[in-house]
Structure formats: structure tokens, C-alpha cells
């Protein structure tokens, strides 16, 4: 019973989300998408730092990137996100061109 309760506790604290990489972020990571497990309550900056730890080359985008969680733009900062299992997190770097 203890193991079952522990697994239930862990599953409420951490969620698997899909991270979608676009433009320069896809180029820097070499990925278009990946699934990661992160705390369900995390700030947008903590989420970005987690992604930077996984993909250090993303650090060049830190001051320019915007996240989109459930198709809503989220600037990097202290804003608390409540992630749900299966959420999509898009990494939106600045677009070049004119």
C-alpha cells in the first residue's frame, strides 16, 4: 500500500508535458518536440532553466524567448504555471525577417 500511495503522490507533483521547439530553438536543440517530466507547479523561468539544463545551447535565447502554455503566451519570470498531464509547451524564439 505504501508504494501505491507514494506513486500517487509523485504523479500529482510531476507531470509529463510535450515541449514543441520552433525556429531557432529547434535548430539549437536538434529537436522539433520532446516529452519531459517537470513539477506541476513551476514558474516560467524555472521551466526555461530546466530546458536550458537539458539543452545548454538554448541559453542564447533567454532574453528573447516566449513560452506558450496551452496556446497562451507566457513571458519568462516569476509567473507560476500549473501544468497538467499532456500539456503542450511551445518555445517561441524571436522571428527574424521583416
Amino acid at each position: 500500500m505504501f508504494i501505491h500511495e507514494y506513486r500517487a503522490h509523485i504523479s500529482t507533483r510531476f507531470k509529463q508535458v510535450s515541449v514543441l521547439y520552433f525556429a531557432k530553438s529547434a535548430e539549437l536543440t536538434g529537436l522539433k518536440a520532446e516529452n519531459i517530466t517537470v513539477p506541476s507547479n513551476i514558474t516560467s523561468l524555472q521551466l526555461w532553466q530546466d530546458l536550458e539544463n537539458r539543452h545548454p545551447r538554448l541559453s542564447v535565447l533567454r532574453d528573447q524567448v516566449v513560452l506558450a502554455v496551452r496556446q497562451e503566451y507566457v513571458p519568462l519570470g516569476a509567473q507560476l504555471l500549473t501544468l497538467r498531464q499532456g500539456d503542450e509547451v511551445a518555445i517561441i524564439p524571436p522571428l527574424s525577417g521583416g
Side-chain angles (χ1 to χ4, degrees):
M1 190 68 158
F2 175 74
I3 291 174
H4 177 71
E5 290 171 2
Y6 177 75
R7 285 185 183 151
H9 177 68
I10 293 295
S11 68
T12 60
R13 293 183 49 214
F14 291 89
K15 302 297 179 192
Q16 186 175 49
V17 298
S18 297
V19 181
L20 309 176
Y21 297 100
F22 294 97
K24 187 71 173 177
S25 66
E27 180 183 319
L28 292 170
T29 62
L31 299 170
K32 291 184 178 184
E34 70 177 324
N35 292 323
I36 64 170
T37 301
V38 292
S40 57
N41 292 308
I42 189 171
T43 68
S44 58
L45 182 57
Q46 288 170 327
L47 178 56
W48 177 255
Q49 289 168 335
D50 183 89
L51 293 170
E52 275 187 3
N53 287 338
R54 295 168 192 269
H55 307 286
R57 294 178 62 201
L58 286 175
S59 65
V60 299
L61 299 177
R62 177 187 281 233
D63 296 330
Q64 306 163 356
V65 76
V66 174
L67 306 180
V69 178
R70 294 186 296 273
Q71 300 181 356
E72 302 247 345
Y73 289 116
V74 179
L76 293 187
Q79 179 177 350
L80 185 64
L81 305 174
T82 301
L83 299 173
R84 299 184 297 231
Q85 187 72 17
D87 273 352
E88 286 186 346
V89 177
I91 309 305
I92 318 256
L95 301 176
S96 60

